[in-house]
Amino acid sequence: MKRKLSIIITILMIGMLGVIVSGLTFGDPVDHPMDRYFIENSQEESGANNVVTAVLFDYRGFDTLGEAAVLFTAALGASLIFRKRRDD
Amino acid sequence: MQMSSIVKTTADVLFPFILIYGLYIILHGHLTPGGGFQGGAILASGVLLLLLAYRYSESTNIVRQVMMKTLESTGLLLFIIAALSAMVLGAGFFFNWLSPLGSIFGDSVAYGSTVANLNTGGLIPIMNIAVGIEVVGAISVILLALLSGIQEKI
């Protein structure tokens, strides 16, 4: 009984996901004025040919700084947990 | 357990090529798809290849944990110093002051879709290199820490 119910719920969930996804427009994004701005002005404002890098290191530099700090903290925590113990 | 000599030779042959590919991805971050994070991850995958092919005690003679920790700290410090260096000149944090100067990484960009010039970008390539150094150090430290717990039969 429980097994049948779980199977029915799973099928319902997959069907709902299919209905939701079929309504999305992949590969056809809405033309947003901010996208236009980045594509047209990022070369002369940041000096980089790659728009993605210009956004990553110039417009959203604080985001990259936070990512680097998160990675630093992760390495710090991993080396702290797996450190060599003296009593081994 | 000892890996076979096929695995060791393959790792030895592939390691320099992975190194060159990762450095290319980092250095061309402002021209082509890629950048510091991606190139650093590729370099760290080369380090992982060495760590898996050889025994832990053997490979830590080449890949030292202190060296990787130093790389990690150096990368983050270089990134923050590069960001702070704009404030010395009176501009804002992260301002790209190096871009139109004509010195290192300072050529002006040819606008539109033209042939890319490596010597452009100003502070962006320097930050890419800093992030690449930091990522290869951090991922190698995590891998070394995780692999150090495995008991190996000799």
Side-chain angles (χ1 to χ4, degrees):
Chain A
M1 188 59 210
K2 218 172 180 181
R3 195 179 165 81
K4 272 182 186 170
L5 195 68
S6 65
I7 289 173
I8 289 169
I9 288 176
T10 311
I11 291 172
L12 273 180
M13 292 291 236
I14 291 174
M16 267 170 65
L17 192 72
V19 168
I20 293 169
V21 164
S22 64
L24 292 178
T25 52
F26 285 117
D28 187 22
V30 186
D31 194 10
H32 201 271
M34 203 169 77
D35 306 348
R36 267 302 112 232
Y37 178 82
F38 281 137
I39 291 168
E40 278 161 9
N41 296 319
S42 74
Q43 259 185 329
E44 50 187 314
E45 278 185 359
S46 70
N49 268 324
N50 190 348
V51 181
V52 176
T53 313
V55 171
L56 204 65
F57 284 94
D58 199 285
Y59 295 107
R60 299 185 64 179
F62 276 105
D63 184 63
T64 310
L65 180 63
E67 276 175 47
V70 163
L71 196 61
F72 184 82
T73 318
L76 202 71
S79 64
L80 192 68
I81 289 172
F82 291 97
R83 70 189 183 281
K84 272 183 194 154
R85 290 204 200 117
R86 206 161 287 178
D87 53 334
D88 280 355
Chain B
M1 199 186 86
Q2 188 97 357
M3 283 283 185
S4 69
S5 63
I6 298 174
V7 176
K8 285 184 181 178
T9 314
T10 313
D12 283 344
V13 170
L14 276 181
F15 183 64
F17 291 106
I18 295 175
L19 224 61
I20 289 170
Y21 184 57
L23 287 175
Y24 159 75
I25 292 282
I26 291 175
L27 280 179
H28 285 237
H30 56 298
L31 303 175
T32 55
F37 284 102
Q38 294 87 343
I42 291 170
L43 289 180
S45 76
V47 173
L48 177 64
L49 190 66
L50 278 192
L51 284 176
L52 289 182
Y54 290 91
R55 256 187 268 137
Y56 186 78
S57 53
E58 281 176 345
S59 51
T60 41
N61 288 331
I62 309 162
V63 187
R64 293 177 190 278
Q65 199 170 14
V66 178
M67 189 178 81
M68 289 304 166
K69 280 177 181 168
T70 316
L71 276 183
E72 184 196 5
S73 314
T74 313
L76 192 57
L77 267 182
L78 190 63
F79 187 78
I80 295 172
I81 287 171
L84 278 175
S85 66
M87 293 181 87
V88 178
L89 300 172
F93 198 55
F94 276 110
F95 179 70
N96 196 349
W97 56 276
L98 211 57
S99 179
L101 278 185
S103 58
I104 182 168
F105 293 125
D107 285 0
S108 53
V109 198
Y111 296 126
S113 52
T114 51
V115 178
N117 182 3
L118 187 63
N119 199 21
T120 57
L123 223 53
I124 290 177
I126 294 174
M127 284 176 173
N128 258 324
I129 293 166
V131 168
I133 292 172
E134 204 246 329
V135 169
V136 63
I139 295 183
S140 302
V141 164
I142 293 175
L143 290 174
L144 280 168
L146 291 181
L147 288 174
S148 71
I150 295 175
Q151 297 288 327
E152 286 175 326
K153 285 178 198 147
I154 300 168

